[in-house]
Amino acid sequence: PFWTDLVRYSDSNVWHRVTANTETIQRISEDVASAFPELTTFSATEVVIATWDHVGYCCSPSSPTVTFQCILATDGINSFVFFLYGDGEINSYSGYRAQVGLNAGNSVDFISVNGSLTSEIFNIDEDSNVGCPGVFVFQVNGGVHQPESQRNGIANIDSLNNCSQICINTIGSFVCECNVGYQLSDDLKTCLETPSTICTSSCNTQLQDSQYQLCCNP
């Protein structure tokens, strides 16, 4: 998910685990179906979550850090990879570049995310192939495949998220929010004018090994 010369220092962590949390598995399955509409019946049977938490660049313990996550999900037939980048968690470091993508090693099945090996890759938390900043999803059985929206040439984040006003990044998907004076309708995407609206707190994505959800700060 972020291939460069990284090192685990004393305040860094790298975790991986197989999750049995039914809510997490269900959410990931729904996110796959959203990105790949031809697979609406996909239901993950195995999910592996790996997290690189504030790992630094080699070989300077005082270097900026990066935090990102990779999720592998399969139903035994179809398999998918999620790359997740927390808001503001991909910090650049002078002289370093990174590659983001997938490579099956056969010189045929590979994908390189736009901006790889350039300074633009450090803005990957603002990019996406599913319409939610910092989230990328790929199908990896039978080759490496982009979501339907990318195959159709749609790349603009705002055109994909379907929120009528505000899209908030969650790990593996998105949620819609409304401006002051509006409230979310039952479809969870459309904002309707209302006489009184309770103002919600601002939310920032935090990638943690134990989480697959939105974390909010008051």
Side-chain angles (χ1 to χ4, degrees):
F2 198 77
W3 184 45
T4 189
D5 200 357
L6 298 174
V7 174
R8 181 176 176 267
Y9 294 113
S10 59
D11 55 350
S12 306
N13 285 290
V14 179
W15 297 296
H16 67 277
R17 64 187 176 92
V18 176
T19 183
N21 183 280
T22 55
E23 183 178 347
T24 297
I25 293 173
Q26 177 63 28
R27 181 60 179 275
I28 292 172
S29 299
E30 292 173 356
D31 290 340
V32 166
S34 176
F36 295 85
E38 67 272 25
L39 296 172
T40 55
T41 60
F42 175 81
S43 179
T45 55
E46 291 185 84
V47 173
V48 179
I49 301 175
T51 304
W52 290 257
D53 181 20
H54 292 93
V55 291
Y57 293 91
C58 183
C59 294
S60 175
S62 62
S63 71
T65 62
V66 292
T67 296
F68 53 92
Q69 199 169 61
C70 179
I71 296 175
L72 310 176
T74 184
D75 63 358
I77 299 174
N78 296 296
S79 301
F80 300 86
V81 174
F82 289 69
F83 292 163
L84 311 169
Y85 307 92
D87 184 22
E89 294 288 357
I90 304 299
N91 299 296
S92 62
Y93 191 44
S94 178
Y96 281 79
R97 296 291 182 267
Q99 177 84 33
V100 173
L102 296 159
N103 193 329
N106 57 10
S107 301
V108 176
D109 301 310
F110 63 89
I111 286 178
S112 179
V113 171
N114 289 340
S116 288
L117 299 180
T118 76
S119 60
E120 290 301 313
I121 202 63
F122 298 108
N123 297 319
I124 196 168
D125 58 323
E126 301 173 4
D127 201 0
S128 177
N129 70 346
V130 290
C132 196
V135 180
F136 292 80
V137 185
F138 304 95
Q139 186 176 9
V140 293
N141 59 285
V144 181
H145 308 287
Q146 290 266 25
E148 182 183 60
S149 57
Q150 297 294 300
R151 300 196 299 270
N152 292 337
I154 301 173
N156 184 277
I157 286 176
D158 292 335
S159 70
L160 296 174
N161 61 48
N162 295 320
C163 296
S164 66
Q165 291 187 353
I166 302 171
C167 174
I168 301 296
N169 183 16
T170 65
I171 305 303
S173 187
F174 65 91
V175 294
C176 301
E177 288 190 358
C178 301
N179 297 322
V180 175
Y182 294 81
Q183 64 181 11
L184 205 60
S185 67
D186 291 340
D187 67 6
L188 301 180
K189 295 181 179 180
T190 305
C191 293
L192 303 175
E193 190 171 3
T194 182
S196 60
T197 301
I198 299 175
C199 184
T200 59
S201 63
S202 62
C203 295
N204 297 310
T205 299
Q206 297 178 3
L207 301 181
Q208 297 183 19
D209 182 60
S210 62
Q211 294 183 328
Y212 183 79
Q213 61 186 1
L214 189 69
C215 298
C216 291
N217 297 322

